[in-house]
Amino acid sequence: MQVGELKGEKGRENGIKALNDVIDNNLLATPQNYELWLHYKLNWTPSLTREIEDVLGAGASLDESKTEELYDRHISNRKLDSAVIETGARLANELAEALRALKAAGHRTEAFSDNLDIAAGELDSGRLDSRQVMNLIHSLSAATKVMSKENAELTRRLETSSSEVEDLRAHLQQARTESLTDMLTGVANRRLFEETLHMRVQEARNLDYPLTLAICDIDHFKKFNDTWGHQTGDQVIRFVATVLKAQSLNDQLVARYGGEEFAIIMPRLNIKEADVVLKHMRKSIEAKKLKRRSTEENLGNVTVSIGATQLLPSDSASELVQRADEMLYSAKHAGRNRVVTDLIEDSKAA
């Protein structure tokens, strides 16, 4: 965030305008929405500004699902980019310091080696008396102590550098993890989903194994929000994410696709095998009776509709997504709370 533009009277005015706009657009006054709107109003992220203006210019509105998607794509990515730049600069500086230390140590070692060669030559000449020999020994002893001290300091410096580099690596890894994780649910976000799907499509073709994609939507989710409020709606979203994650296999990816939708990438499973897993997920979600955390009121059963399809030889990643989305629409049109694929259609009792 460009902090300089939020200092002073003008900064306070910009902050207040951004918060008012968040409320005027019927969005929750969350830190995420506030930051998103500041980026838009002050044009900190031109690509975000253009996309919001396109939406508003078309007469559409921004809901929570859309703002979360915009935040993930435009701002979370910028934070990772900033972390990469910052970490890279710190790493370059740390390595430069370490190289300077090694170079200086090399010069000192070379000088010490020269002194040893000179001393050896003088001793071999046989021209030194006992006093001169003693002086030479004292001189070499002193030089050796200095060299030992400098080597110890070099070792300490390199250990410090190694520790700093490891800290920087961990910092960068944390930044990347955060940029690819949905903040509400802890599962993968839309960005990681898109990266993984493209990779899995290519992998499936190269290794000639099946790939199934499923899209899952919480049934009648708006009713939870309208009846119980957004916090309870968030509880329902987290619950579904937890079940999907727990029921998925190790190499499968569960991602929050948007709002109350989730996507599940299922490598090495054909549509019939995936259908078994997806049915189990649907039944596990329906079987749980949720209670509102704040009041212990019974929320009833949560159900989901799932559409799934298998990768075809001619499919692009976007075509695979489109077909899975069509299967999801069919599941909802058929009465919800069911799994529908382009090969198999199941009732909720299945």
Side-chain angles (χ1 to χ4, degrees):
M1 185 178 291
Q2 285 86 329
V3 178
E5 295 186 46
L6 292 180
K7 290 182 177 179
E9 190 62 34
K10 185 64 175 177
R12 285 192 289 274
E13 181 182 337
N14 287 333
I16 292 171
K17 284 182 178 179
L19 186 57
N20 286 338
D21 284 342
V22 167
I23 296 171
D24 290 344
N25 281 273
N26 296 316
L27 299 170
L28 295 176
T30 62
Q32 178 175 308
N33 283 337
Y34 176 66
E35 184 177 2
L36 183 79
W37 217 257
L38 277 175
H39 276 257
Y40 165 60
K41 297 296 287 185
L42 299 178
N43 198 25
W44 286 344
T45 307
S47 59
L48 170 66
T49 301
R50 287 194 297 271
E51 187 164 349
I52 290 180
E53 287 178 347
D54 287 344
V55 172
L56 298 179
S61 60
L62 292 170
D63 57 16
E64 293 298 326
S65 174
K66 183 62 176 176
T67 56
E68 285 182 9
E69 178 191 339
L70 290 171
Y71 187 89
D72 277 344
R73 285 195 290 110
H74 292 282
I75 298 180
S76 289
N77 292 358
R78 281 170 57 91
K79 289 183 175 180
L80 177 60
D81 292 341
S82 297
V84 169
I85 293 170
E86 176 191 354
T87 302
R90 290 173 59 191
L91 182 58
N93 182 67
E94 190 63 36
L95 292 177
E97 289 293 328
L99 287 173
R100 277 194 288 271
L102 286 170
K103 188 175 181 179
H107 290 322
R108 289 192 296 268
T109 301
E110 185 177 351
F112 182 67
S113 178
D114 289 342
N115 287 335
L116 289 178
D117 287 341
I118 292 170
E122 291 179 351
L123 289 171
D124 286 342
S125 69
R127 295 192 300 268
L128 301 181
D129 59 28
S130 59
R131 183 180 61 80
Q132 289 173 321
V133 170
M134 289 300 297
N135 288 340
L136 184 59
I137 291 173
H138 287 311
S139 175
L140 290 175
S141 176
T144 301
K145 289 178 180 178
V146 170
M147 190 65 188
S148 177
K149 182 178 179 181
E150 290 176 345
N151 282 342
E153 176 61 24
L154 175 62
T155 299
R156 185 199 65 77
R157 181 69 185 83
L158 293 178
E159 286 176 350
T160 301
S161 292
S162 177
S163 177
E164 178 69 12
V165 169
E166 178 59 26
D167 288 345
L168 291 174
R169 186 202 63 77
H171 172 72
L172 190 58
Q173 180 60 39
Q174 180 181 358
R176 175 166 174 77
T177 299
E178 289 175 355
S179 78
L180 298 176
T181 301
D182 176 65
M183 292 183 294
L184 176 64
T185 62
V187 299
N189 64 11
R190 181 72 172 264
R191 180 186 179 195
L192 180 55
F193 163 75
E194 291 175 350
E195 289 182 4
T196 304
L197 182 62
H198 281 87
M199 180 269 291
R200 288 299 191 186
V201 167
Q202 190 62 45
E203 189 179 58
R205 290 206 172 99
N206 291 340
L207 300 178
D208 193 27
Y209 66 62
L211 174 67
T212 295
L213 173 66
I215 298 180
C216 167
D217 186 82
I218 301 173
D219 295 329
H220 305 295
F221 179 73
K222 188 174 184 298
K223 181 185 71 175
F224 287 104
N225 274 342
D226 292 346
T227 305
W228 305 100
H230 287 283
Q231 286 189 334
T232 300
D234 287 348
Q235 179 186 339
V236 172
I237 290 174
R238 282 193 294 266
F239 159 68
V240 172
T242 299
V243 175
L244 294 178
K245 182 69 175 175
Q247 300 290 343
S248 63
L249 304 180
N250 288 336
D251 61 348
Q252 296 174 358
L253 181 81
V254 175
R256 190 175 178 196
Y257 190 65
E260 65 273 19
E261 285 190 341
F262 296 88
I264 310 162
I265 300 174
M266 312 174 81
R268 285 176 285 279
L269 289 187
N270 62 38
I271 193 67
K272 291 184 178 181
E273 294 166 333
D275 182 66
V276 175
V277 177
L278 295 171
K279 283 180 183 177
H280 188 61
M281 289 176 172
R282 184 196 65 76
K283 291 176 182 178
S284 296
I285 291 169
E286 184 184 24
K288 177 75 173 179
K289 292 187 181 296
L290 289 187
K291 290 186 177 181
R292 194 181 185 193
R293 287 181 179 175
S294 57
T295 63
E296 290 298 308
E297 294 171 89
N298 187 14
L299 300 178
N301 297 92
V302 177
T303 65
V304 296
S305 299
I306 302 174
T309 188
Q310 184 175 324
L311 181 71
L312 300 177
S314 61
D315 277 340
S316 65
S318 60
E319 287 170 334
L320 185 65
V321 171
Q322 181 180 352
R323 201 163 60 252
D325 201 48
E326 290 171 356
M327 295 302 101
L328 172 63
Y329 177 80
S330 297
K332 287 187 167 295
H333 186 70
R336 295 183 171 84
N337 190 22
R338 64 194 66 226
V339 176
V340 172
T341 78
D342 44 6
L343 297 180
I344 306 168
E345 182 171 338
D346 295 290
S347 72
K348 65 181 180 180

